[in-house]
């Protein structure tokens, strides 16, 4: 069983569209994250949720809106997609948000905006 | 400015060679982690170091945490093609979230 699963794995869409990426973890973890990895492979945190509550919201455009219906799910909705949004988006989870906890990553969602 | 600076950015070596990659910062970390990411996959944790001066070994990989807990190194002995990947270090940021360095892309040629 996949610990952190996200869908879709690949997404190609036009500028201006709205799209969502779904994420689920079956590890029973309290904390979930969204990371963005750009073409230079730099992995940057976007959001962190603990038990459905937003903990971290980095300087991400408000076109990006995370939603956590329960602690096992953290979805990412993106409005009015721009070319610069093209990247790999990783969902992740950890037992708690404390430093030193292992972060378990999904396989990534490869978003291409054309 | 990145919290964690990794060097070298790229490294290409022959099978059987030894190598060391570095992760440096001006900040002190309560813990530091190393992850490996293979193409098309998410990063996977290799090790967590928590004590200054700590050395941990994972088969042919040796991880060291600096005495001042500001830096870390990863040494690979007798590298194999299966070691190819992106090596990322991560330390806790201001909000206690794990911040990643830009990574070292290692290629081991057969």
């Amino acid at each position: 069983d996949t610990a952190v699963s996200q869908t879709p794995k690949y997404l190609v869409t036009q500028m201006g569209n709205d799209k969502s990426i779904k994420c689920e973890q079956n590890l029973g973890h309290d904390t979930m994250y969204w990371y963005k990895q750009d073409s230079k492979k730099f992995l940057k945190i976007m959001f962190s949720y603990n038990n459905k509550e937003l903990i971290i919201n980095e300087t991400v455009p408000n076109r990006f809106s995370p939603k956590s219906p329960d602690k096992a799910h953290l979805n990412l909705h993106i409005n009015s997609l721009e070319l610069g949004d093209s990247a790999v988006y990783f969902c992740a989870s950890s037992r708690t948000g404390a430093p030193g906890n292992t972060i378990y990553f999904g396989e990534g969602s490869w978003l291409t905006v054309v | 400015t990145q919290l964690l600076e990794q060097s070298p950015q790229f490294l290409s070596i022959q099978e059987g060679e030894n190598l060391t990659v570095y992760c440096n910062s001006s900040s002190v970390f309560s813990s530091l982690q190393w992850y490996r990411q293979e193409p098309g996959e998410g990063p996977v944790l290799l090790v967590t170091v928590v004590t200054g001066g700590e050395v941990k070994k994972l088969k042919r990989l040796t991880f060291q945490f600096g005495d001042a807990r500001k830096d870390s190194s990863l040494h690979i002995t007798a590298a194999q093609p299966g070691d190819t990947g992106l090596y990322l270090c991560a330390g806790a940021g201001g909000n206690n979230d794990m911040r990643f360095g830009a990574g070292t892309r290692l290629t081991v040629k057969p």
Side-chain angles (χ1 to χ4, degrees):
Chain A
D1 287 343
T2 304
V4 181
S5 57
Q6 51 184 112
T7 56
K9 187 171 176 72
Y10 301 100
L11 183 56
V12 181
T13 188
Q14 290 188 325
M15 282 174 54
N17 284 350
D18 304 338
K19 290 294 177 186
S20 292
I21 307 172
K22 295 185 176 181
C23 179
E24 176 182 5
Q25 54 96 2
N26 62 6
L27 297 166
H29 288 169
D30 286 343
T31 305
M32 294 187 71
Y33 312 85
W34 277 106
Y35 282 86
K36 178 181 179 181
Q37 189 170 46
D38 60 24
S39 57
K40 294 184 177 179
K41 302 299 183 185
F42 184 49
L43 195 63
K44 185 174 180 182
I45 191 166
M46 299 174 68
F47 301 103
S48 166
Y49 270 71
N50 190 65
N51 257 322
K52 303 191 298 176
E53 289 189 22
L54 179 66
I55 302 298
I56 294 168
N57 181 355
E58 286 296 300
T59 50
V60 175
N62 57 17
R63 298 181 294 103
F64 290 79
S65 53
K67 281 191 171 53
S68 182
D70 55 62
K71 77 172 193 177
H73 295 84
L74 181 61
N75 305 321
L76 183 64
H77 187 74
I78 315 170
N79 289 328
S80 303
L81 278 156
E82 300 177 357
L83 292 177
D85 297 333
S86 296
V88 185
Y89 292 84
F90 285 99
C91 178
S93 74
S94 61
R95 189 173 57 84
T96 73
N101 270 252
T102 302
I103 301 175
Y104 294 83
F105 286 86
E107 292 189 337
S109 294
W110 301 65
L111 172 65
T112 302
V113 182
V114 296
Chain B
T1 303
Q2 291 185 29
L3 189 62
L4 292 159
E5 299 284 344
Q6 290 192 244
S7 60
Q9 189 177 357
F10 299 94
L11 186 56
S12 181
I13 61 171
Q14 292 295 133
E15 182 176 3
E17 292 183 10
N18 301 333
L19 67 113
T20 303
V21 298
Y22 300 92
C23 175
N24 296 298
S25 177
S26 56
S27 302
V28 176
F29 296 102
S30 58
S31 64
L32 198 142
Q33 297 178 324
W34 284 93
Y35 289 77
R36 180 170 66 210
Q37 183 179 13
E38 298 184 18
E41 304 284 336
V44 176
L45 180 71
L46 295 173
V47 78
T48 300
V49 285
V50 296
T51 305
E54 180 177 5
V55 176
K56 280 192 174 178
K57 292 193 174 184
L58 186 65
K59 296 183 181 178
R60 293 176 294 99
L61 278 60
T62 301
F63 304 85
Q64 184 158 10
F65 201 11
D67 290 341
R69 291 187 286 125
K70 292 183 179 181
D71 53 84
S72 181
S73 63
L74 159 58
H75 181 81
I76 302 179
T77 304
Q80 298 177 2
D83 296 327
T84 293
L86 177 68
Y87 288 81
L88 297 159
C89 66
N95 289 324
N96 278 339
D97 56 297
M98 296 306 285
R99 304 293 173 118
F100 286 79
T104 292
R105 281 198 241 188
L106 172 66
T107 303
V108 182
K109 301 175 185 175

